[in-house]
Amino acid sequence: MAERNFNFKDTLLLEWGDTILDRLKTDLEEFVSFDSKLNAAFITDLEQKISLAYKEGGDDVNVAQLQQKTEAVDIAMQDCRTYFKRLKYWVLDAFPGKKAIQKQFGIGKFRNISGSQTKMIQYMEGITDTINEHRATLEAVGTPVDLLNQSTALSRALRTANKEQEQKKGTRTVDTAARVEQLNELYAILQKVNAAADNVFEEQPTKRELYRSPGRNGTPVIIDEEE
């Protein structure tokens, strides 16, 4: 994954960009005299890049969306646990003392299953076949038909929630990498202006300070331009 080329917060980078924009508009003539590329078109492009970075809002949106997907998985997992608890009652009623059949339904090993999304998906995928294999006996002791038929829908819901969560994790990784590249590009542009200012205002140290990059706490730092 791409790494940031700057050692301060993203918000400080954007604030620095806004400051540079305002200074450039005021000092445009002096910068153009030094480097003709640092002109009005350059300012417009820089302004668009900063606005876009603000608009995308960092990782907060992705985090919120991933949290929603995770909550959906948690709900689906709990629904499956509740389903097992209800089914277990009827399995024990239908097959008292028959440990092999009980084990087919997950009795005795469900605690290990219930803590893992992958294991729960595998369990729910297989439980429908197990129910159908023993349906007649289960129905004979009064097991609600709706309960016996519910496993397919619960399995599908859990698989869908899990898939969407995994997809969002991947999307977040891609989005984060793209944003880091975008911020690094913006940082490089601002550093170019910073380097230009070192020449444009070499006889005006007070004005030169206005273009310096922020440190970790937001205060400008003095860096040798050769570094």
Side-chain angles (χ1 to χ4, degrees):
M1 181 181 292
E3 296 183 358
R4 285 166 172 76
N5 294 334
F6 49 95
N7 63 352
F8 44 84
K9 294 180 179 179
D10 296 355
T11 51
L12 287 179
L13 176 66
L14 299 180
E15 289 172 358
W16 181 36
D18 277 340
T19 300
I20 292 289
L21 269 176
D22 286 342
R23 302 300 182 191
L24 274 175
K25 290 175 182 178
T26 301
D27 303 325
L28 180 60
E29 186 175 338
E30 292 168 278
F31 276 93
V32 171
S33 296
F34 172 72
D35 183 347
S36 61
K37 297 187 298 298
L38 303 177
N39 53 24
F42 176 86
I43 290 177
T44 298
D45 182 64
L46 177 58
E47 195 164 24
Q48 291 173 345
K49 283 181 168 58
I50 294 172
S51 296
L52 181 60
Y54 270 119
K55 183 179 179 181
E56 293 191 352
D59 195 37
D60 292 345
V61 174
N62 271 322
V63 169
Q65 291 175 343
L66 179 57
Q67 185 176 3
Q68 288 180 333
K69 302 300 182 185
T70 300
E71 288 173 356
V73 170
D74 290 342
I75 291 171
M77 288 284 285
Q78 187 55 49
D79 287 345
C80 291
R81 295 186 189 103
T82 300
Y83 179 75
F84 170 79
K85 179 182 177 182
R86 293 172 181 170
L87 181 63
K88 177 183 176 181
Y89 172 87
W90 295 104
V91 171
L92 293 176
D93 191 33
F95 306 104
K98 297 184 178 181
K99 298 295 184 182
I101 294 178
Q102 292 175 13
K103 193 172 183 180
Q104 283 184 268
F105 285 90
I107 295 173
K109 59 180 181 180
F110 190 75
R111 179 174 294 181
N112 181 50
I113 294 170
S114 67
S116 166
Q117 289 173 215
T118 303
K119 290 180 179 178
M120 184 70 88
I121 291 172
Q122 292 173 337
Y123 171 78
M124 292 304 298
E125 283 292 296
I127 197 63
T128 298
D129 289 341
T130 302
I131 288 171
N132 289 335
E133 181 182 349
H134 301 287
R135 180 178 286 268
T137 306
L138 288 166
E139 289 183 353
V141 298
T143 310
V145 175
D146 286 349
L147 181 67
L148 297 176
N149 294 338
Q150 191 181 4
S151 62
T152 300
L154 289 173
S155 176
R156 186 183 304 116
L158 178 57
R159 284 185 64 186
T160 298
N162 184 71
K163 180 178 66 176
E164 290 181 354
Q165 182 194 46
E166 292 304 309
Q167 288 176 337
K168 188 60 208 176
K169 287 178 182 178
T171 300
R172 182 189 178 195
T173 300
V174 172
D175 288 350
T176 299
R179 178 167 175 78
V180 170
E181 290 178 3
Q182 177 191 55
L183 293 175
N184 283 341
E185 180 185 4
L186 177 58
Y187 176 70
I189 293 171
L190 296 177
Q191 280 290 64
K192 179 180 177 63
V193 177
N194 182 26
D198 196 53
N199 291 278
V200 172
F201 301 117
E202 61 184 352
E203 302 299 331
Q204 303 177 62
T206 301
K207 210 165 188 182
R208 167 68 185 100
E209 288 298 313
L210 300 176
Y211 287 87
R212 292 197 185 280
S213 60
R216 290 180 183 274
N217 61 357
T219 57
V221 295
I222 299 176
I223 301 175
D224 290 339
E225 304 301 335
E226 292 83 1
E227 291 183 358

